[in-house]
Amino acid sequence: MDLKETDILGKDIEQHWYYRSKAKAMMNFLGRDMPLKILDIGAGSGFFSQHLLANTTAQEAWCVDISYEADSDKKEKGKRIHYRRSVDALDADLVLIMDLLEHVDDDVALLKKYLSMVPQGSHFLITVPAFQFLWSGHDEFLEHKRRYTLKGLEATVRNAGLEVKLGAYYFAMVFPVAAILRMAQKALGKRITARSQMARYHPIVNTVLTLLCKVELHFMRFNRMAGLSVFCLAEKV
């Protein structure tokens, strides 16, 4: 999670349709393989680790982000959550890499780095923004390097030495609207300017978008066609 978006949404982030839906998709993708110890890379506010600690049997989380001013420790539902600028080896059984790979020059090298820190059998849950043709001012604002296809992300994951267990697109229900808007912008020759598209929505709009994404969860695992985000679950073997 990018701290730039956290700054925009503030305390409303837990109710925002995008983050609520993404947290539910994360749970859906993990299925019954819920972790005990989480390593959350590029964690920002730690939203996704906090969600797992609050709603599953997960017992502890280590949130790593170079943007933290200092190391700190907190609790979520009585469970320990550690915020660190860096970590060494850790016996985590789940590594979260939520919307981070698109920020770095060498995505394979980053995956290899954290692959070497965790034991065999650890799972990696990775998300990235989908499709380069959807590039927008929001990508510029967040300083992205690229967007991915599902096959492209799976190839990156395999090149790092991980075994892909499951891959899919998400946010398919809102994909057509986003695609039309961004293609229309390019067709009209409008200049892409760096600005966030993350905003607080009217409660009715927020509820409708949340419900659409909730419906999508029923077929998410089988969606290899289109969406705004790519999800990949992999394992260190």
Side-chain angles (χ1 to χ4, degrees):
M1 170 184 286
D2 199 297
L3 287 172
K4 288 184 177 181
E5 294 185 338
T6 304
D7 291 340
I8 293 170
L9 298 176
K11 294 181 179 179
D12 293 338
I13 195 164
E14 293 185 3
Q15 300 304 318
H16 194 279
W17 72 272
Y18 178 83
Y19 282 104
R20 287 182 67 184
S21 300
K22 201 158 197 173
K24 289 183 182 297
M26 171 183 67
M27 301 277 281
N28 179 290
F29 229 62
L30 290 174
R32 296 180 179 179
D33 298 323
M34 291 301 170
L36 290 176
K37 184 178 289 187
I38 304 160
L39 175 58
D40 191 346
I41 308 302
S45 68
F47 172 81
F48 294 107
S49 285
Q50 291 167 16
H51 187 86
L52 285 170
L53 289 174
N55 296 282
T56 75
T57 55
Q59 295 299 307
E60 187 176 13
W62 293 78
C63 293
V64 181
D65 201 305
I66 59 173
S67 63
Y68 297 151
E69 293 183 1
D71 293 347
S72 62
D73 297 284
K74 297 180 181 179
K75 285 191 175 182
E76 177 68 33
K77 300 294 184 181
K79 302 173 182 178
R80 293 177 296 173
I81 182 166
H82 314 278
Y83 296 89
R84 297 289 186 269
R85 288 180 55 83
S86 64
V87 293
D88 296 317
L90 189 71
D91 59 338
D93 51 344
L94 175 65
V95 181
L96 288 179
I97 304 181
M98 307 292 280
D99 294 340
L100 174 64
L101 293 186
E102 67 272 18
H103 289 272
V104 301
D105 290 320
D106 194 335
D107 47 9
V108 172
L110 184 139
L111 286 173
K112 285 183 176 180
K113 174 183 176 179
Y114 291 104
L115 180 64
S116 69
M117 293 185 183
V118 297
Q120 187 175 359
S122 297
H123 285 86
F124 282 65
L125 181 60
I126 303 160
T127 65
V128 291
F131 298 114
Q132 194 64 30
F133 79 87
L134 292 178
W135 188 270
S136 71
H138 191 67
D139 295 287
E140 301 277 355
F141 174 75
L142 294 178
E143 301 178 67
H144 290 171
K145 306 287 186 180
R146 69 191 77 80
R147 298 177 73 97
Y148 293 77
T149 62
L150 176 54
K151 288 184 178 180
L153 177 59
E154 289 177 337
T156 297
V157 168
R158 290 191 180 101
N159 287 339
L162 287 159
E163 180 179 297
V164 174
K165 309 299 289 186
L166 182 63
Y169 289 104
Y170 188 53
F171 296 120
M173 301 291 277
V174 293
F175 172 81
V177 175
I180 290 170
L181 289 174
R182 292 182 187 180
M183 287 190 291
Q185 182 182 36
K186 291 177 182 178
L188 293 172
K190 291 187 177 181
R191 181 182 177 183
I192 295 177
T193 56
R195 64 184 181 87
S196 176
Q197 294 174 354
M198 190 62 65
R200 296 180 177 89
Y201 290 88
H202 186 281
I204 294 177
V205 176
N206 196 68
T207 299
V208 170
L209 291 171
T210 301
L211 289 174
L212 284 174
C213 293
K214 185 177 181 179
V215 169
E216 185 181 339
L217 290 176
H218 295 291
F219 61 84
M220 173 195 177
R221 284 169 163 257
F222 309 102
N223 177 16
R224 296 186 62 87
M225 295 181 62
L228 298 183
S229 288
V230 186
F231 276 66
C232 182
L233 182 65
E235 183 180 358
K236 179 177 180 178
V237 295

